[in-house]
Amino acid sequence: MANIQLRIGELLIGQGMMAYWEPVPGNSCQTWRGTIFVTNQRVCFYISWLSHPEFELELAKIRGFTVGRHLFFTKVTLHSRGGERFTLTGFPVKKLQKWLLQAGIQNL
């Protein structure tokens, strides 16, 4: 499992293995397995075999999150203030919702 380098004053709220659904032009999506980290300053996703984040969002740049379904899976989508979307699914998806709320990110 990846590990995050915490900044000074940064506290880890939660982490867990998830799948990130990256949109691909002309295709539905590319799925990446990795670890999501929610802290009191940011949300990061590290692909399992990479040492740098696939995405890293400062809390101030996150507008909120939505919860939906894809077939039998519950998914959480982070919405950035710039219009980007980051969709995640996996076993800790209910925990992820709690972590995001603890970080001050609203459910849209």
Side-chain angles (χ1 to χ4, degrees), residues 23-89:
V24 176
N27 200 349
S28 59
C29 68
Q30 173 70 40
T31 305
W32 300 102
R33 185 176 55 124
T35 305
I36 188 84
F37 296 92
V38 180
T39 75
N40 63 335
Q41 296 180 14
R42 58 193 165 139
V43 176
C44 306
F45 181 82
Y46 284 77
I47 295 175
S48 294
W49 46 273
L50 294 177
S51 60
H52 64 279
E54 177 64 20
F55 68 81
E56 180 175 345
L57 296 168
E58 300 293 327
L59 296 184
K61 295 184 179 184
I62 301 174
R63 184 169 57 92
F65 71 94
T66 55
V67 179
R69 295 198 58 82
H70 180 77
L71 301 173
F72 303 106
F73 304 102
T74 301
K75 61 182 182 175
V76 170
T77 302
L78 294 171
H79 300 268
S80 77
R81 295 195 184 279
E84 295 175 293
R85 294 181 182 182
F86 304 89
T87 301
L88 300 142
T89 191

Coordinates of all heavy atoms in Angstrom, one line a residue, residues 23-89:
P23 N -11.7 9.0 -16.8 CA -12.3 9.1 -18.1 C -11.3 9.1 -19.2 O -10.2 9.6 -19.1 CB -13.0 10.5 -18.1 CG -12.8 11.1 -16.8 CD -11.8 10.2 -16.0
V24 N -11.6 8.4 -20.3 CA -10.8 8.2 -21.5 C -11.6 8.6 -22.7 O -12.6 8.1 -22.9 CB -10.3 6.8 -21.6 CG1 -9.4 6.6 -22.9 CG2 -9.5 6.3 -20.4
P25 N -11.1 9.6 -23.5 CA -11.8 10.0 -24.7 C -12.1 8.9 -25.6 O -11.1 8.1 -25.9 CB -10.9 11.1 -25.3 CG -10.0 11.6 -24.2 CD -9.8 10.4 -23.3
G26 N -13.3 8.7 -26.1 CA -13.7 7.6 -27.0 C -13.9 6.3 -26.3 O -14.1 5.3 -27.0
N27 N -13.8 6.3 -25.0 CA -14.0 5.1 -24.2 C -14.7 5.4 -23.0 O -14.8 6.6 -22.6 CB -12.6 4.4 -23.9 CG -12.7 3.0 -23.6 OD1 -13.8 2.4 -23.4 ND2 -11.5 2.3 -23.5
S28 N -15.2 4.5 -22.2 CA -16.0 4.8 -21.0 C -15.0 5.3 -19.9 O -15.2 6.4 -19.4 CB -16.8 3.6 -20.5 OG -16.0 2.5 -20.3
C29 N -14.0 4.5 -19.6 CA -13.1 4.9 -18.5 C -11.9 3.9 -18.4 O -12.0 2.7 -18.9 CB -13.8 5.0 -17.2 SG -14.3 3.4 -16.5
Q30 N -10.9 4.3 -17.8 CA -9.7 3.4 -17.4 C -9.8 3.3 -15.9 O -10.0 4.3 -15.2 CB -8.4 4.1 -17.8 CG -7.2 3.4 -17.4 CD -7.0 2.0 -18.1 OE1 -7.2 1.9 -19.3 NE2 -6.6 1.0 -17.3
T31 N -9.7 2.1 -15.4 CA -9.8 1.9 -14.0 C -8.4 1.6 -13.4 O -7.6 0.8 -13.9 CB -10.7 0.7 -13.6 OG1 -12.0 0.9 -14.2 CG2 -10.9 0.5 -12.2
W32 N -8.1 2.3 -12.3 CA -6.8 2.2 -11.6 C -7.0 1.8 -10.2 O -7.8 2.4 -9.5 CB -6.0 3.5 -11.7 CG -5.7 4.0 -13.0 CD1 -6.4 5.0 -13.7 CD2 -4.7 3.5 -13.9 NE1 -5.8 5.2 -14.9 CE2 -4.8 4.3 -15.1 CE3 -3.7 2.6 -13.8 CZ2 -3.9 4.1 -16.2 CZ3 -2.8 2.4 -14.9 CH2 -2.9 3.1 -16.0
R33 N -6.3 0.8 -9.7 CA -6.4 0.3 -8.3 C -5.3 1.1 -7.6 O -4.2 1.2 -8.0 CB -6.1 -1.2 -8.3 CG -6.3 -1.7 -6.9 CD -6.2 -3.2 -6.9 NE -4.9 -3.6 -7.5 CZ -4.0 -4.3 -7.0 NH1 -4.2 -4.8 -5.8 NH2 -2.9 -4.6 -7.6
G34 N -5.6 1.5 -6.4 CA -4.7 2.3 -5.6 C -5.2 2.6 -4.2 O -6.2 2.0 -3.7
T35 N -4.6 3.6 -3.6 CA -5.0 4.0 -2.2 C -5.4 5.5 -2.2 O -4.8 6.4 -2.8 CB -3.8 3.9 -1.3 OG1 -3.3 2.5 -1.4 CG2 -4.1 4.2 0.2
I36 N -6.6 5.7 -1.6 CA -7.1 7.1 -1.4 C -6.6 7.5 0.0 O -6.7 6.8 1.0 CB -8.6 7.2 -1.5 CG1 -9.1 8.6 -1.5 CG2 -9.3 6.4 -0.5 CD1 -9.0 9.3 -2.8
F37 N -6.2 8.8 0.1 CA -5.9 9.4 1.4 C -6.7 10.7 1.6 O -6.7 11.5 0.7 CB -4.4 9.8 1.5 CG -3.4 8.6 1.4 CD1 -2.9 8.2 0.2 CD2 -3.0 7.9 2.5 CE1 -2.1 7.1 0.1 CE2 -2.2 6.9 2.5 CZ -1.7 6.4 1.2
V38 N -7.3 10.8 2.7 CA -8.1 12.0 3.0 C -7.4 12.6 4.3 O -7.3 11.9 5.3 CB -9.6 11.8 3.3 CG1 -10.3 13.0 3.6 CG2 -10.2 11.1 2.1
T39 N -7.0 13.9 4.2 CA -6.4 14.5 5.3 C -7.2 15.8 5.6 O -8.1 16.1 4.9 CB -4.9 14.9 5.1 OG1 -4.8 16.0 4.2 CG2 -4.1 13.7 4.5
N40 N -6.7 16.5 6.6 CA -7.4 17.8 7.0 C -6.9 18.9 6.0 O -7.4 20.1 6.1 CB -7.1 18.2 8.4 CG -5.6 18.5 8.7 OD1 -4.7 17.9 8.0 ND2 -5.3 19.3 9.7
Q41 N -6.1 18.6 5.0 CA -5.7 19.6 4.0 C -5.9 19.2 2.5 O -6.0 20.1 1.7 CB -4.2 19.9 4.2 CG -3.8 20.5 5.5 CD -2.3 20.7 5.6 OE1 -1.6 20.7 4.7 NE2 -1.9 21.0 6.9
R42 N -6.0 17.9 2.3 CA -6.1 17.5 0.8 C -6.7 16.1 0.7 O -6.8 15.3 1.7 CB -4.7 17.6 0.2 CG -3.7 16.7 0.9 CD -2.3 17.0 0.4 NE -1.3 16.4 1.3 CZ -0.2 15.8 1.0 NH1 0.1 15.7 -0.2 NH2 0.6 15.4 1.9
V43 N -7.0 15.7 -0.5 CA -7.4 14.3 -0.9 C -6.4 13.9 -2.0 O -6.3 14.6 -3.0 CB -8.8 14.3 -1.4 CG1 -9.2 12.9 -1.8 CG2 -9.8 14.8 -0.3
C44 N -5.8 12.7 -1.8 CA -4.8 12.2 -2.8 C -5.2 10.8 -3.1 O -5.6 10.0 -2.3 CB -3.4 12.2 -2.2 SG -2.8 13.7 -1.5
F45 N -4.9 10.4 -4.4 CA -5.0 9.0 -4.8 C -3.7 8.6 -5.5 O -3.2 9.2 -6.4 CB -6.2 8.9 -5.8 CG -6.3 7.4 -6.3 CD1 -7.1 6.6 -5.5 CD2 -5.8 7.0 -7.5 CE1 -7.2 5.2 -5.9 CE2 -5.9 5.7 -7.9 CZ -6.6 4.8 -7.1
Y46 N -3.1 7.5 -4.9 CA -1.9 6.9 -5.5 C -2.2 5.6 -6.1 O -2.8 4.7 -5.5 CB -0.9 6.7 -4.3 CG -0.2 7.9 -3.8 CD1 -0.9 8.8 -2.9 CD2 1.1 8.2 -4.2 CE1 -0.2 9.9 -2.4 CE2 1.7 9.3 -3.7 CZ 1.1 10.1 -2.8 OH 1.7 11.3 -2.3
I47 N -1.8 5.4 -7.4 CA -2.0 4.2 -8.1 C -1.0 3.2 -7.4 O 0.1 3.6 -7.0 CB -1.6 4.3 -9.6 CG1 -2.7 5.2 -10.2 CG2 -1.6 2.9 -10.3 CD1 -2.5 5.5 -11.7
S48 N -1.4 2.0 -7.2 CA -0.6 1.0 -6.5 C 0.9 0.9 -6.8 O 1.7 0.8 -6.0 CB -1.2 -0.4 -6.6 OG -2.5 -0.4 -6.0
W49 N 1.2 1.0 -8.1 CA 2.6 0.8 -8.5 C 3.3 2.1 -8.8 O 4.5 2.0 -9.3 CB 2.7 -0.2 -9.7 CG 1.7 0.1 -10.8 CD1 0.4 -0.3 -10.9 CD2 1.9 1.0 -11.9 NE1 -0.2 0.2 -12.0 CE2 0.7 1.0 -12.6 CE3 3.0 1.7 -12.4 CZ2 0.5 1.7 -13.8 CZ3 2.8 2.4 -13.6 CH2 1.6 2.4 -14.3
L50 N 2.8 3.2 -8.5 CA 3.4 4.5 -8.7 C 3.7 5.1 -7.3 O 3.0 5.0 -6.4 CB 2.6 5.5 -9.5 CG 2.3 5.1 -11.0 CD1 1.4 6.1 -11.6 CD2 3.6 4.9 -11.7
S51 N 4.8 6.0 -7.3 CA 5.2 6.6 -6.1 C 4.7 8.1 -6.0 O 5.0 8.8 -5.0 CB 6.7 6.6 -5.9 OG 7.3 7.2 -7.0
H52 N 4.0 8.5 -7.0 CA 3.5 9.9 -7.0 C 2.0 9.8 -7.2 O 1.5 8.9 -7.7 CB 4.1 10.8 -8.1 CG 3.8 10.3 -9.5 ND1 4.5 9.3 -10.1 CD2 2.9 10.7 -10.4 CE1 4.0 9.1 -11.3 NE2 3.1 10.0 -11.5
P53 N 1.3 10.9 -6.7 CA -0.2 10.8 -6.7 C -0.7 10.9 -8.2 O -0.2 11.7 -9.0 CB -0.7 12.0 -5.9 CG 0.5 12.9 -5.8 CD 1.7 12.1 -6.0
E54 N -1.8 10.1 -8.4 CA -2.5 10.3 -9.7 C -3.3 11.6 -9.7 O -3.4 12.3 -10.7 CB -3.5 9.1 -9.9 CG -4.3 9.1 -11.1 CD -3.5 9.1 -12.4 OE1 -2.4 8.7 -12.5 OE2 -4.1 9.5 -13.5
F55 N -3.9 11.9 -8.5 CA -4.5 13.2 -8.3 C -4.3 13.6 -6.9 O -4.2 12.8 -6.0 CB -5.9 13.3 -8.8 CG -6.9 12.5 -8.0 CD1 -7.4 13.0 -6.8 CD2 -7.4 11.3 -8.4 CE1 -8.3 12.3 -6.0 CE2 -8.3 10.6 -7.7 CZ -8.8 11.1 -6.5
E56 N -4.2 14.9 -6.7 CA -4.0 15.5 -5.4 C -4.8 16.8 -5.4 O -4.5 17.7 -6.2 CB -2.6 15.8 -5.1 CG -2.3 16.4 -3.7 CD -0.8 16.5 -3.4 OE1 0.0 15.9 -4.1 OE2 -0.5 17.3 -2.4
L57 N -5.8 16.9 -4.5 CA -6.7 18.1 -4.5 C -6.6 18.7 -3.1 O -6.9 18.0 -2.1 CB -8.1 17.7 -4.8 CG -8.4 17.1 -6.2 CD1 -9.8 16.5 -6.2 CD2 -8.3 18.2 -7.2
E58 N -6.3 20.0 -3.1 CA -6.4 20.7 -1.8 C -7.9 20.8 -1.5 O -8.7 21.0 -2.4 CB -5.8 22.1 -2.0 CG -4.3 22.1 -2.4 CD -3.4 21.5 -1.3 OE1 -3.7 21.7 -0.1 OE2 -2.4 20.9 -1.7
L59 N -8.2 20.8 -0.2 CA -9.6 20.9 0.2 C -10.3 22.1 -0.4 O -11.5 22.0 -0.7 CB -9.8 20.8 1.7 CG -9.3 19.5 2.4 CD1 -9.6 19.6 3.9 CD2 -9.9 18.3 1.8
A60 N -9.7 23.2 -0.4 CA -10.2 24.5 -0.9 C -10.6 24.4 -2.4 O -11.4 25.2 -2.8 CB -9.3 25.6 -0.7
K61 N -10.0 23.4 -3.1 CA -10.3 23.3 -4.5 C -11.4 22.2 -4.8 O -11.7 22.0 -6.0 CB -9.0 23.0 -5.3 CG -8.0 24.1 -5.2 CD -6.8 23.8 -6.0 CE -5.9 25.0 -5.9 NZ -4.7 24.9 -6.8
I62 N -12.0 21.7 -3.7 CA -13.0 20.7 -3.9 C -14.4 21.3 -3.6 O -14.6 21.9 -2.5 CB -12.8 19.5 -3.0 CG1 -11.4 18.8 -3.3 CG2 -13.9 18.5 -3.1 CD1 -11.0 17.7 -2.3
R63 N -15.3 21.3 -4.6 CA -16.6 21.9 -4.4 C -17.5 21.0 -3.6 O -18.3 21.4 -2.8 CB -17.2 22.1 -5.8 CG -18.6 22.8 -5.8 CD -19.0 23.2 -7.1 NE -19.1 22.2 -8.1 CZ -20.2 21.4 -8.3 NH1 -21.3 21.7 -7.7 NH2 -20.2 20.5 -9.2
G64 N -17.3 19.7 -3.7 CA -18.1 18.7 -3.0 C -18.0 17.3 -3.6 O -17.2 17.1 -4.5
F65 N -18.9 16.4 -3.1 CA -18.9 15.1 -3.7 C -20.3 14.6 -3.9 O -21.3 15.1 -3.2 CB -18.1 14.1 -2.8 CG -18.8 13.7 -1.5 CD1 -19.6 12.6 -1.4 CD2 -18.5 14.5 -0.4 CE1 -20.1 12.3 -0.2 CE2 -19.1 14.2 0.8 CZ -19.9 13.1 1.0
T66 N -20.5 13.7 -4.8 CA -21.8 13.0 -5.0 C -21.7 11.5 -4.9 O -20.6 11.0 -5.0 CB -22.4 13.4 -6.4 OG1 -21.4 13.0 -7.4 CG2 -22.7 14.8 -6.6
V67 N -22.8 10.9 -4.5 CA -22.8 9.4 -4.4 C -23.7 8.9 -5.4 O -24.9 9.4 -5.6 CB -23.2 9.0 -3.0 CG1 -23.3 7.5 -2.8 CG2 -22.3 9.6 -1.9
G68 N -23.3 7.9 -6.2 CA -24.2 7.3 -7.2 C -23.9 5.8 -7.3 O -23.3 5.2 -6.4
R69 N -24.5 5.2 -8.3 CA -24.3 3.7 -8.5 C -24.0 3.5 -9.9 O -24.4 4.2 -10.9 CB -25.6 3.0 -8.2 CG -26.0 3.1 -6.7 CD -26.9 2.1 -6.2 NE -26.6 0.8 -6.3 CZ -25.8 0.1 -5.5 NH1 -25.2 0.7 -4.5 NH2 -25.7 -1.2 -5.6
H70 N -23.2 2.4 -10.1 CA -22.8 1.9 -11.4 C -23.0 0.4 -11.3 O -22.3 -0.3 -10.6 CB -21.4 2.3 -11.8 CG -21.0 1.7 -13.2 ND1 -21.5 2.3 -14.3 CD2 -20.3 0.6 -13.5 CE1 -21.0 1.6 -15.4 NE2 -20.3 0.6 -14.9
L71 N -24.1 -0.1 -12.0 CA -24.5 -1.5 -11.8 C -24.7 -1.8 -10.3 O -25.5 -1.3 -9.7 CB -23.4 -2.4 -12.5 CG -23.2 -2.2 -14.0 CD1 -22.1 -3.1 -14.5 CD2 -24.5 -2.5 -14.8
F72 N -23.8 -2.7 -9.8 CA -24.0 -3.1 -8.4 C -23.1 -2.3 -7.5 O -23.1 -2.6 -6.3 CB -23.7 -4.6 -8.2 CG -24.6 -5.5 -9.1 CD1 -24.1 -6.1 -10.2 CD2 -25.9 -5.6 -8.8 CE1 -24.9 -6.9 -11.0 CE2 -26.7 -6.4 -9.6 CZ -26.2 -7.0 -10.7
F73 N -22.3 -1.4 -8.0 CA -21.3 -0.7 -7.2 C -21.7 0.7 -6.8 O -22.3 1.4 -7.6 CB -20.0 -0.6 -8.0 CG -19.5 -1.9 -8.5 CD1 -19.6 -2.3 -9.8 CD2 -18.8 -2.8 -7.6 CE1 -19.1 -3.6 -10.2 CE2 -18.3 -4.0 -8.0 CZ -18.5 -4.4 -9.3
T74 N -21.4 1.1 -5.6 CA -21.6 2.5 -5.1 C -20.4 3.2 -5.5 O -19.3 2.7 -5.3 CB -21.9 2.5 -3.6 OG1 -23.0 1.7 -3.3 CG2 -22.1 4.0 -3.2
K75 N -20.5 4.4 -6.0 CA -19.4 5.2 -6.4 C -19.5 6.6 -5.8 O -20.6 7.1 -5.5 CB -19.2 5.3 -7.9 CG -20.4 6.0 -8.6 CD -20.3 6.0 -10.1 CE -21.5 6.7 -10.7 NZ -21.3 6.9 -12.2
V76 N -18.3 7.2 -5.5 CA -18.2 8.5 -5.0 C -17.5 9.4 -6.0 O -16.4 8.9 -6.5 CB -17.5 8.6 -3.6 CG1 -17.2 10.0 -3.2 CG2 -18.3 7.9 -2.5
T77 N -18.0 10.5 -6.4 CA -17.4 11.4 -7.3 C -17.0 12.7 -6.6 O -17.9 13.4 -6.1 CB -18.3 11.6 -8.6 OG1 -18.6 10.4 -9.2 CG2 -17.6 12.5 -9.6
L78 N -15.8 13.0 -6.7 CA -15.3 14.3 -6.2 C -15.4 15.3 -7.3 O -15.1 15.1 -8.4 CB -13.8 14.3 -5.7 CG -13.5 13.4 -4.6 CD1 -12.0 13.2 -4.4 CD2 -14.1 14.0 -3.3
H79 N -15.9 16.5 -7.0 CA -16.1 17.6 -7.9 C -15.2 18.8 -7.6 O -15.4 19.3 -6.5 CB -17.6 18.1 -8.0 CG -18.5 17.0 -8.3 ND1 -19.0 16.8 -9.6 CD2 -19.2 16.1 -7.6 CE1 -19.8 15.7 -9.6 NE2 -19.9 15.3 -8.4
S80 N -14.3 19.1 -8.5 CA -13.4 20.2 -8.2 C -14.1 21.5 -8.5 O -15.1 21.5 -9.3 CB -12.1 20.1 -8.9 OG -12.3 20.4 -10.3
R81 N -13.6 22.6 -8.0 CA -14.1 23.9 -8.3 C -13.9 24.3 -9.8 O -14.5 25.1 -10.4 CB -13.6 25.0 -7.4 CG -14.0 24.8 -6.0 CD -13.8 26.0 -5.1 NE -14.1 25.7 -3.7 CZ -15.3 25.7 -3.2 NH1 -16.4 26.0 -4.0 NH2 -15.6 25.4 -1.9
G82 N -12.9 23.6 -10.4 CA -12.5 23.8 -11.8 C -13.3 23.0 -12.8 O -13.1 23.0 -14.0
G83 N -14.3 22.2 -12.3 CA -15.1 21.4 -13.1 C -14.6 19.9 -13.3 O -15.3 19.2 -14.1
E84 N -13.5 19.6 -12.8 CA -13.0 18.2 -12.9 C -13.8 17.2 -12.0 O -14.3 17.7 -11.0 CB -11.5 18.1 -12.6 CG -10.6 18.9 -13.5 CD -9.2 18.8 -13.0 OE1 -9.0 19.4 -11.9 OE2 -8.4 18.2 -13.6
R85 N -13.9 16.0 -12.4 CA -14.5 14.9 -11.7 C -13.6 13.8 -11.5 O -12.9 13.4 -12.4 CB -15.8 14.5 -12.4 CG -16.9 15.5 -12.5 CD -18.1 15.0 -13.2 NE -19.0 16.1 -13.3 CZ -20.2 16.0 -13.8 NH1 -20.6 14.8 -14.2 NH2 -21.0 17.0 -13.8
F86 N -13.6 13.2 -10.2 CA -12.8 12.1 -9.9 C -13.7 11.0 -9.2 O -14.2 11.3 -8.1 CB -11.7 12.5 -8.9 CG -10.8 13.7 -9.5 CD1 -11.2 15.0 -9.3 CD2 -9.7 13.4 -10.2 CE1 -10.4 16.0 -9.8 CE2 -8.9 14.4 -10.7 CZ -9.3 15.7 -10.5
T87 N -13.9 9.9 -9.9 CA -14.8 8.9 -9.5 C -14.1 7.7 -8.9 O -13.1 7.2 -9.5 CB -15.7 8.4 -10.6 OG1 -16.4 9.6 -11.2 CG2 -16.7 7.4 -10.2
L88 N -14.5 7.3 -7.7 CA -13.9 6.2 -6.9 C -14.9 5.2 -6.5 O -16.1 5.6 -6.2 CB -13.2 6.8 -5.7 CG -12.1 7.8 -6.0 CD1 -12.1 9.0 -5.0 CD2 -10.8 7.2 -6.1
T89 N -14.5 4.0 -6.4 CA -15.4 2.9 -5.9 C -14.5 1.9 -5.2 O -13.3 1.9 -5.3 CB -16.2 2.3 -7.0 OG1 -17.2 1.4 -6.4 CG2 -15.3 1.5 -8.0

